[in-house]
Amino acid sequence: MTHLVPEEELIQRIIDGDKQLFSVLVDRYKNKVYGIMRGMGASHPDAQDLAQDTFIRIYRYLPTRREGSSFAAWVYTIAVNIMRDHVRSFKSTITNTTEEPYSQGVEELTPEKQVLQKEMKREIYRHLEQLPESYRLVLLLKYTNELSYEEIGEVTGMSAAQIRNALYRGKKSLQKQLKRTGGEWSYEV
């Protein structure tokens, strides 16, 4: 039943001492935080560790969060900052892998379509890693985590115009890379 509790009420109950409810927040955001880490270039084990660090920091600073602001944007801001700190501190541990990040559910597809879809995702992630961080981050926040422009602005510090520009340029760069390597652009990004 706790999955039906509104987020703000859940947060307040955690702050008020019901610490076990924090696992509900973790369940709601773990795949998306992990996906951000992978999309920004972390290897599978590093992304798992960084996601865990993100939730530790969220737990620690939850009482200081500004009430009324977007919780999702706050979570992703923490995740992005942890990833940036990791990149600065351990550049040699960031690897370019082709492992697929956690998916948000698998549609009923034929085995052939599943293989093709998986390969296309891998190709897109390989090309995403080659984009400048600002394009990559905005694309991930918009299309993987489905944040609004306002929430993306909270995470990145960019204006709505800068976000639109980064989305446009990021998509165009991805399309060019895919065409150059012979990939087809079958996903509507």
Side-chain angles (χ1 to χ4, degrees), residues 32-42 47 50-51 53-55 57-58 72-89 94 133-142 145 147 151-158:
K32 291 183 178 191
V33 168
Y34 173 86
I36 290 259
M37 300 305 183
R38 290 287 291 143
M40 290 182 69
L50 293 166
D53 291 347
T54 299
F55 288 108
R57 193 171 294 173
I58 289 167
W74 186 70
V75 167
Y76 300 135
T77 299
I78 291 172
V80 167
N81 288 336
I82 285 176
M83 183 61 191
R84 286 179 177 158
D85 290 346
H86 176 73
V87 169
R88 276 193 291 274
S89 300
I94 302 298
E133 181 185 329
S134 61
Y135 295 173
R136 182 173 60 225
L137 180 58
V138 170
L139 286 168
L140 287 168
L141 291 173
K142 179 67 178 163
N145 296 310
L147 293 185
E151 291 169 322
I152 294 170
E154 287 179 38
V155 173
T156 62
M158 298 169 81

Side-chain angles (χ1 to χ4, degrees), residues 4-5 10 15 22 36 39 44 50 52 59 67 71 98 115 130 140 145 150 159 175:
L4 300 175
V5 176
L10 186 64
I15 292 170
F22 188 71
I36 290 259
H44 171 70
L50 293 166
Q52 184 175 9
Y59 183 80
E67 193 174 333
F71 182 72
T98 58
V115 168
Q130 297 172 10
L140 287 168
N145 296 310
E150 182 180 311
S159 69
Q175 286 173 337

Side-chain angles (χ1 to χ4, degrees), residues 4-176:
L4 300 175
V5 176
E7 206 161 68
E8 285 300 323
E9 181 183 329
L10 186 64
I11 292 166
Q12 192 55 52
R13 287 173 57 186
I14 294 167
I15 292 170
D16 291 343
D18 197 349
K19 304 299 183 192
Q20 284 81 10
L21 288 178
F22 188 71
S23 65
V24 175
L25 286 179
V26 172
D27 286 342
R28 287 183 184 178
Y29 288 95
K30 66 184 177 188
N31 291 342
K32 291 183 178 191
V33 168
Y34 173 86
I36 290 259
M37 300 305 183
R38 290 287 291 143
M40 290 182 69
S43 66
H44 171 70
D46 285 344
Q48 288 179 320
D49 290 345
L50 293 166
Q52 184 175 9
D53 291 347
T54 299
F55 288 108
I56 289 169
R57 193 171 294 173
I58 289 167
Y59 183 80
R60 185 177 299 146
Y61 292 105
L62 192 60
T64 65
R65 182 186 148 263
R66 204 174 28 146
E67 193 174 333
S69 63
S70 168
F71 182 72
W74 186 70
V75 167
Y76 300 135
T77 299
I78 291 172
V80 167
N81 288 336
I82 285 176
M83 183 61 191
R84 286 179 177 158
D85 290 346
H86 176 73
V87 169
R88 276 193 291 274
S89 300
F90 303 102
K91 282 194 181 219
S92 63
T93 61
I94 302 298
T95 60
N96 294 324
T97 62
T98 58
E99 294 176 40
E100 180 181 355
Y102 293 133
S103 61
Q104 289 295 317
V106 179
E107 296 178 30
E108 291 298 320
L109 300 171
T110 65
E112 295 83 15
K113 286 183 180 179
Q114 287 178 346
V115 168
L116 288 172
Q117 189 176 50
K118 192 179 240 184
E119 285 302 313
M120 185 57 159
K121 284 182 181 179
R122 284 183 181 158
E123 185 175 351
I124 289 172
Y125 273 94
R126 274 194 299 272
H127 290 292
L128 256 178
E129 291 172 354
Q130 297 172 10
L131 293 178
E133 181 185 329
S134 61
Y135 295 173
R136 182 173 60 225
L137 180 58
V138 170
L139 286 168
L140 287 168
L141 291 173
K142 179 67 178 163
Y143 297 109
T144 303
N145 296 310
E146 300 172 358
L147 293 185
S148 68
Y149 283 13
E150 182 180 311
E151 291 169 322
I152 294 170
E154 287 179 38
V155 173
T156 62
M158 298 169 81
S159 69
Q162 290 171 318
I163 293 166
R164 275 191 294 279
N165 188 28
L167 285 170
Y168 176 79
R169 290 181 182 202
K171 287 189 289 187
K172 286 296 181 193
S173 295
L174 270 177
Q175 286 173 337
K176 281 182 186 176

